[in-house]
Amino acid sequence: MRKRHFLGLMALPPALWAFHRLRHGPPEPLNPLQSLLSGEAEAGFARVLGPEPFMFPRDHAAHPDYRHEWWYFTGNLLSPENDAFGFQLTFFRFAIAASARPSASAWNTRQAMLGHFALTDVNQRRFHAAQRLDRPALGIAGMQDTPARVWIRDWQAHHVATLPEVWELEARGPGYGLKLALTTTKAWVEQGQGGYSRKGPGRSNASRYYSGTRLAAAGEVTVEGTPMRVAGLAWLDREWGTSALAPGTRGWDWFGLQLDDGSDLMVYLLRQEDGSPSEFSAGSHVSGTGSVVALAAPDLAMEVLETWTSPHSKRHYPARWRLRIDSLGLDLRIMPRVADQEWEGLVRYWEGCVRVEGTRAGKKLQGLGYAELTGY
Amino acid sequence: MIPPLWKILFAYLYRRPWQGALGVFGIALGIAVVMAVQVAQSSARRSFEAAELTLAGMATDRILGVSGHLPEALFASLCLQEPELKASPVVTGHVRGGDANPRWLRVHGLDPVSAVGRITTTQAADTGLPAFLLGQAAGVASGSLLRSLGSASSMPVTIEGPGGSVSVSLHSLRETDANLILPEDLIVLDIALAQDVLGHSGRLSYIDLVIHDDAQGDALRARIRKRLKAGFELRDLRGDRVARQDLGRAFETNLTALSLLSLMVGFFLVYNTANFLVVQRSVLFSRLRALGVRRREIFGGILMESAALGALGGLMGILLGLLLARFLLGLIAGTVGNFYYTVSATEPELTVPLLAMLWSLAVITSLVAAVPAAWRAARVRRLTTRSIAAPTLSWRLPLSLAGVLALSALLFHRIAAARLWVDFAAMSLMLVAVGLLVSPLMPTLSGMLARRLESPRWWPERLGAANLSRADNRSGVAAAALCLAAAVSLGMQVMTASFRDSVDRWLGQLLRADGYVSAPESLPTPLAEASLASLYVELGRYPLLSAISSVLQRERSSSLGMLAVTAYELPAQARDGFEFLSGNATGIWAHWEGEEVFIASESLARRHGLTPGATVTLETDHGAQTFTLIGIYRDYASERGTLAISRQTSSRHWQDSGYSGLGIYLREGDEWHKVRDKIRALAGEQSGIRLRSREEIRLLSLAIFDRTFAITRVLGLLALLVSLAGLVGALLAQLLERGREYSVLRALGCSRVDLARVLSCQTLLTGMLAALVALPTGATLAWFLVRVINLHAFGWTMDMVFPPSLFAGMFVSMLAAATLASPYPALRLGRIAPAQALREE
Amino acid sequence: MNDASSPLAALPAVVARGLTVRYPPETRAVLSDLDLEVMTGRFVAILGRSGSGKSTLLNLLGAMEPPQEGSLQVAGKDLAGLDEAGRTLFRRQHLGFVFQSFNLIPVLDVHRNVALPLALNGLEDGQRVTELLAALGIDHLAQRYPETLSGGEQQRVAIARALAHRPALVLADEPTGNLDQETSRQVIELMKQVLAREGTTLIMATHSEEAADSAHEVFRLTGGRLERRP
């Protein structure tokens, strides 16, 4: 009889603890970016509702009335000593509020700016990534209209309106850095329908989207304090919009590939919550002479050949693809140049340089590019 | 054999539950006090920490301007020069808020994108904090502040500051995160809105930084320091936090010590109860032994039983402790809030480790307390028909033990002087030594008394005294417990009285002015100082007074860490208020104004080992400046200590035009209340400044003092009550043992009244003996507390007083307590039937 | 107080009629319609096994409990009409007890133990105590404490105590129960002698036939009644 009593008494503290836990629940903190972006209120922002002509160089600069915007620079570089690098420099702008109250303060703003800078050292199989998050005030971060310039502290992208046009990039991380001049070799490509790039069923589930699909890159890369002259090809994606993604979209896979026949291929495949592809996936093919062919979801046959599990986040990413675009006669195999190019931190995604091999209408093709995998 | 043994023991308790109840109650009370003190302390600490963490949790360093603000351009250049640096700007100030009852509110303006406190990871109004604050006329506040402003969540509230008036939508934080606490008078705004409403355009209050503790981080700190001009400093936040926590520690140690005393008394109660139960069932044990139950099993059985009682007592104690904790938290918050840091009223939080610790404490204490009784039970011989005889206690063992303990105490003290816990240990050892002495003292003294009572008229008293002289250590233990509780209580009362007396005399000396002026409490400090400054100027214009003294209190960065620095303006009359313990007054005042010198309060000097001639470097508007110590003065105002300089000296190095307080010296023949009214008129009726005469200040200070020490009184009383219960228990135990004897007396024709006289004599003697030992012990304890413990904990020297009223009062209350202990046992005694004498065992 | 030459000597010390005691819930009576008459100065033994009701009878005779049914007079006093205080007083003045387990007060020495009944009555008579001790052959033990005495010695002290205040009646409950045979005989003899000299009535309850032999009259308690032993 007493043993039972004892056991009963012994069970009391855990019971109390459990009760306490249930009442208060485990606290769930948000990460700062979630905190930054969360909130469904999207009233008051400008929306992309249909095709509109682009106005350059004005559209190189920011469009602050839309909720989000980015300047997305990626590229593959090579030094004379055959040191191969991939780089990604992204400037994100978020409008936190649709409008700001009038203020005399230099801090007043309704925008936040996030920068991501990654350098992949292909030979050493290393991935360096750095992030900055700042409020565009007091010149610490900001956007300029003329000439178009966007910067966060000591990272910047600066447009020079010469002919051909040049984007000058500068970024630094702990022990590594980059300073490049990107020169246009083709005209700016309007993605989607004249820049109206649809991502979902709603009319406003769209963004304005243009790309610089083939920019000649030249400049300097610093790794562990050692600067190296490099050259290669770069890609610029410019997008802005409000609630572009339809609800229920889990993520996407984006590819920007530059092939050795002079053509460039952009493909994005949207994924629903259940993993099935969205009908709003799309892409474009730019020929060597600059003529653009728009691609729609039925044109794209993508097959995942391999997956890779991240040792940091334990997520499974696709790691080898076969892309067939029959309408263009393309049969390509795409593989990452370094397996681990995963971004961890405020946002989690995989963004890295890739290698392409395949055929076009029977002829052998090769190329390099960048892939972005989100929502895994 | 084990289960049935437990059943037997337990069955006995089932039938007479009240007998185990005393032990349960004792443990419950002891645990309740320990728990209440621990929980209340940790809640107070936690709420302070939580407030810090909410706003600036991850910040490791802070850049401040010595003058109180920095240019925001500094922030921009810092971020651009050190792109890797994680920095967050903050703007603070005061506004008046609320439409119905406007009140002063503190504003904390931060950048939600870069802020470093936990607050950024929560939501307000179901949206992330940045989305809520950026660019909006919105703010975040605690739920209680919203309620006090009469505003439901997200209803607009008007706030008005130097920069203008804004209607702000205030919201409270999500309530599920218990670790997010905002101080009750604080609203959090976006930095832009804060600058606008405070009129702080272009200025920041400080910059929080997150710098790692590695080679790179240190290099970064060095670079930043080099870049900072004179008048700006980089402060290590974590060092500050630790220093502030240390302050409360001395206070907390006192409380913990008291709570442990309660547990000790609970220990004694269990000891009593265990013995009592063993005596009662001595026949049972002998029969069990006869049946073949081994000694080990009986030993184990008693221990198990006691552990079960302890477990039950522990649970009760925990529940009781919750109630007590709430009460204590209120008391502590008042005290702590006065002197150390502001505490928001929070719910006492229970954590599993705490509950587990308390419960184990209850069980272990009961186990240990029952060991002697269990041992005795196990030694019962088979088939004995005699009850268990009281062990004869010679003088030798306790005396030598006491001597050993006292010597160890002294040794401890010598070896590790000035370590607080060592002092407490030494004190505890001495107390235990005294307790041990009480047991054998009682038989000796009672025996002496018994022999004196020759006349047959006093035969009951003689019998009572003779009973006590039987070297029966059960009443001895109860007497010891009562004695110790009384000694500790008395010691603390005497210490408090000495302290109060010293404070009183110090105030009497210190308060030279006829009256004192201070700003209303609700006014934020900068405004308060400014309003006194304008009053000061006004007073200077009219020949109203013979002199004015002033004081300005600041926190300044120094080579010794953060210090309280006070700038005094002292006319000749005021100077007499300083009692110098080191340094010669004439010499000190000669150098006071013209040179870079300072005087230190006693606790500051003691804390940092300063002697005249020592130097301290302070951060000033123009950079670092060294000051030399020329005197040490007596001061009880704060245990942290103060560094005092003249107002002239302060003006040379800091730009500060305000005053924290003014002292008024009347002209010959003027009356205080007339002058007071004139001053009030000068200040303006709306100003709400407070004018208090010297006497009023003195009484107010003493009132605060009394409130502070209310806690110790409460705990002392509790300890006394518990030990009283122990005395009752001991008497009942004894009654049982000698029941037969009493029934024989009844058989012989002894009346109930006579029996009551026997019993009363016993209790009174016990009480008197305990009282007699308690008085000198209490005095010694007080001496120890004042001269040793408080000196080390607070750094104050105090003069001792031994008010006879306290001693007389203690003596009387102990006798009264002893008297109160008799009725119930006497009643039980009366029920003893004489016929019991005839019944065989 | 009694004196052999007193005219009261001719009166009976104890007159009991129809004493009945029942302890609920037992409906069977422990004592059932019991009669007893003992003349002053006599030594009466009551035999009976344990549980036969000896103690109960002694309780009644010793004014510890009032009789439930029947009448009881001891030393001329009607016990049934007394309240608690009255019984206490009666015991104090007129009764003496000798117990099986001696029941001396451990913290008092022999002299004081014996003097206790006198003290209870507010009297002091050191000479009386000394005389009694001498009569019982234990005057050399006057300053000793009971724990240090043998069983026989303790019982003698008890006897002295029982007589100190010159009671009318002494009740002895198994006085030899804790003693060996030899000592028992000595004690009984002493008791008989000293009481005879004092003229005190003695009623002894015992289960020992041998002890009962010394008495003037022997009764057997069976079935709640007394029967004279042949």
Side-chain angles (χ1 to χ4, degrees), chain B residues 190-410:
Chain B
D190 180 53
I191 190 171
L193 179 59
Q195 274 194 332
D196 284 339
V197 81
L198 293 172
H200 279 356
S201 166
R203 290 201 322 247
L204 301 173
S205 301
Y206 57 84
I207 302 171
D208 273 343
L209 308 173
V210 179
I211 301 180
H212 296 297
D213 277 325
D214 53 17
Q216 282 177 329
D218 291 336
L220 180 60
R221 283 195 183 94
R223 286 200 299 276
I224 295 176
R225 278 213 180 85
K226 255 221 295 254
R227 288 208 183 92
L228 290 178
K229 292 196 292 257
F232 302 107
E233 49 165 327
L234 177 67
R235 199 184 286 176
D236 177 8
L237 278 188
R238 284 159 311 169
D240 263 4
R241 245 175 245 148
V242 168
R244 232 176 318 180
Q245 280 171 0
D246 273 345
L247 287 186
R249 208 150 286 163
F251 179 74
E252 289 176 6
T253 313
N254 274 331
L255 281 186
T256 311
L258 276 176
S259 68
L260 288 179
L261 171 74
S262 300
L263 189 63
M264 219 168 47
V265 181
F267 176 96
F268 276 122
L269 277 185
V270 174
Y271 176 85
N272 267 336
T273 306
N275 275 319
F276 180 85
L277 290 173
V278 159
V279 164
Q280 272 228 313
R281 296 173 296 183
S282 52
V283 176
L284 175 65
F285 294 134
S286 65
R287 287 204 186 122
L288 287 174
R289 294 273 291 124
L291 287 174
V293 177
R294 288 193 294 268
R295 279 187 222 263
R296 228 182 21 238
E297 288 165 334
I298 293 196
F299 187 79
I302 305 277
L303 286 186
M304 282 291 114
E305 184 185 55
S306 197
L309 290 182
L312 192 59
L315 286 175
M316 273 176 55
I318 285 172
L319 292 173
L320 202 62
L322 261 181
L323 294 172
L324 210 56
R326 250 166 247 215
F327 170 66
L328 268 187
L329 190 57
L331 272 181
I332 287 179
T335 309
V336 157
N338 274 336
F339 295 118
Y340 305 115
Y341 41 78
T342 17
V343 164
S344 320
T346 43
E347 287 292 302
E349 187 186 77
L350 302 175
T351 60
V352 173
L354 178 69
L355 290 178
M357 187 271 289
L358 288 170
W359 197 68
S360 321
L361 193 62
V363 173
I364 291 174
T365 309
S366 310
L367 271 177
V368 171
V371 163
W375 180 251
R376 214 173 283 146
R379 281 203 347 243
V380 165
R381 273 183 303 192
R382 304 176 214 195
L383 292 177
T384 185
T385 49
R386 271 194 235 109
S387 71
I388 293 173
T392 45
L393 207 60
S394 71
W395 275 93
R396 250 177 287 147
L397 182 62
L399 194 62
S400 42
L401 203 59
V404 166
L405 288 178
L407 273 176
S408 334
L410 279 169

Side-chain angles (χ1 to χ4, degrees), chain A residues 47-370:
Chain A
R47 297 182 163 258
V48 174
L49 297 169
E52 256 178 61
F54 284 105
M55 316 263 272
F56 296 113
R58 167 67 192 84
D59 276 328
H60 290 313
H63 304 79
D65 292 328
Y66 293 85
R67 193 101 151 79
H68 53 77
E69 181 164 11
W70 55 78
W71 291 256
Y72 223 111
F73 296 93
T74 55
N76 288 280
L77 307 165
L78 191 65
S79 81
E81 286 82 31
N82 280 335
D83 301 297
F85 299 97
F87 81 89
Q88 171 213 349
L89 179 59
T90 314
F91 295 88
F92 296 92
R93 171 194 63 76
F94 301 105
I96 304 292
S99 62
R101 56 175 196 90
S103 162
S105 166
W107 293 88
N108 196 42
T109 177
R110 54 193 174 97
Q111 313 278 354
M113 293 190 65
L114 173 70
H116 272 184
F117 170 43
L119 190 68
T120 308
D121 188 335
V122 178
N123 297 353
Q124 302 293 324
R125 298 203 124 43
R126 286 236 284 272
F127 180 66
H128 308 279
Q131 173 179 278
R132 299 223 196 282
L133 176 61
D134 269 313
R135 171 185 234 184
L138 278 87
I140 296 165
M143 299 156 280
Q144 191 182 283
D145 283 345
T146 325
R149 188 164 88 97
V150 65
W151 75 96
I152 303 180
R153 300 213 185 176
D154 57 347
W155 300 351
Q156 69 160 343
H158 173 212
H159 181 257
V160 183
T162 49
L163 225 55
E165 296 168 55
V166 175
W167 273 97
E168 284 176 2
L169 304 183
E170 218 178 291
R172 253 179 293 279
Y176 57 97
L178 170 147
K179 197 169 155 75
L180 293 176
L182 309 180
T183 315
T184 52
T185 62
K186 295 181 185 171
W188 300 108
V189 174
E190 296 174 6
Q191 304 282 10
Q193 243 189 305
Y196 177 53
S197 170
R198 299 195 62 193
K199 307 276 197 309
R203 198 155 69 101
S204 64
N205 291 135
S207 56
R208 299 209 63 206
Y209 182 13
Y210 74 85
S211 308
T213 59
R214 197 170 264 245
L215 303 164
E220 198 179 84
V221 153
T222 308
V223 173
E224 278 164 32
T226 319
M228 276 170 265
R229 296 213 64 77
V230 288
L233 287 179
W235 185 302
L236 166 61
D237 252 10
R238 283 279 292 122
E239 262 196 81
W240 61 93
T242 300
S243 70
L245 287 182
T249 310
R250 201 203 169 92
W252 62 84
D253 302 335
W254 174 93
F255 298 87
L257 309 171
Q258 290 148 337
L259 305 168
D260 62 1
D261 66 350
S263 65
D264 315 306
L265 181 65
M266 187 283 291
V267 161
Y268 63 79
L269 301 149
L270 298 166
R271 271 192 336 277
Q272 317 269 56
E273 281 294 338
D274 58 7
S276 61
S278 155
E279 53 175 321
F280 292 98
S281 309
S284 66
H285 179 264
V286 183
S287 74
T289 52
S291 50
V292 182
V293 170
L295 303 165
D299 299 322
L300 311 167
M302 184 67 105
E303 202 186 319
V304 175
L305 300 176
E306 246 177 64
T307 56
W308 170 78
T309 308
S310 157
H312 325 287
S313 67
K314 310 290 184 234
R315 306 282 165 146
H316 310 288
Y317 292 93
R320 221 152 79 90
W321 300 262
R322 185 181 175 187
L323 174 63
R324 283 190 2 249
I325 307 179
D326 294 329
S327 55
L328 296 173
L330 278 171
D331 185 352
L332 302 171
R333 261 170 249 279
I334 309 166
M335 51 230 112
R337 293 179 82 184
V338 172
D340 188 354
Q341 297 183 74
E342 185 189 23
W343 269 93
E344 278 184 291
L346 289 187
V347 236
R348 198 191 318 108
Y349 63 105
W350 191 100
E351 174 108 19
C353 46
V354 296
R355 199 159 44 90
V356 189
E357 269 166 19
T359 59
R360 182 172 186 191
K363 251 182 19 160
K364 275 212 181 167
L365 271 187
Q366 268 189 342
L368 294 174
Y370 247 79

Side-chain angles (χ1 to χ4, degrees), chain A residues 2 5 9 12 17 28 30 35-36 38 96-97 99-101 103-109 132 135 138 140 153-154, chain B residues 10 72 75 79 83 85 89 120-121 123 127-131 134-136 174 190-193 195-196 308 315 352:
Chain A
R2 279 232 330 162
H5 281 222
L9 287 177
L12 210 65
W17 175 78
E28 280 172 30
L30 304 171
S35 171
L36 205 68
S38 69
I96 304 292
S99 62
R101 56 175 196 90
S103 162
S105 166
W107 293 88
N108 196 42
T109 177
R132 299 223 196 282
R135 171 185 234 184
L138 278 87
I140 296 165
R153 300 213 185 176
D154 57 347
Chain B
F10 215 57
E72 59 190 19
F75 180 82
C79 286
L85 179 63
T120 53
T121 59
Q123 288 184 334
T127 182
L129 205 67
L134 224 62
Q136 310 303 311
R174 228 167 49 151
D190 180 53
I191 190 171
L193 179 59
Q195 274 194 332
D196 284 339
L315 286 175
V352 173

Side-chain angles (χ1 to χ4, degrees), chain C residues 168-228:
Chain C
L169 172 64
V170 167
L171 296 166
D173 187 8
E174 300 276 8
T176 59
N178 285 354
L179 304 172
D180 61 55
Q181 230 179 355
E182 181 56 39
T183 323
S184 296
R185 238 179 293 146
Q186 287 173 6
V187 164
I188 302 250
E189 270 310 307
L190 262 176
M191 214 164 39
K192 189 172 170 185
Q193 276 173 32
V194 174
L195 265 78
R197 207 170 351 135
E198 295 274 323
T200 315
T201 316
L202 171 64
I203 300 181
M204 179 178 79
T206 181
H207 66 266
S208 156
E209 303 273 351
E210 204 183 319
D213 288 339
S214 309
H216 298 142
E217 291 165 58
V218 180
F219 295 89
R220 200 182 291 275
L221 182 57
T222 48
R225 277 201 173 83
L226 285 176
E227 286 168 4
R228 202 173 285 268

Side-chain angles (χ1 to χ4, degrees), chain C residues 8-51:
Chain C
L8 292 168
L11 293 172
V14 175
V15 179
R17 295 260 179 270
L19 289 180
T20 309
V21 174
R22 264 180 267 269
Y23 290 124
E26 296 158 32
T27 44
R28 192 175 64 84
V30 177
L31 301 180
S32 173
D33 199 26
L34 185 142
D35 297 337
L36 176 63
E37 201 174 303
V38 179
M39 302 306 287
T40 311
R42 301 284 278 168
F43 176 5
V44 167
I46 300 183
L47 272 176
R49 288 194 314 270
S50 47

Side-chain angles (χ1 to χ4, degrees), chain B residues 167-179:
Chain B
S167 180
V168 165
S169 165
L170 283 182
H171 201 93
S172 63
L173 295 173
R174 228 167 49 151
E175 280 176 7
T176 51
D177 193 339
N179 281 323

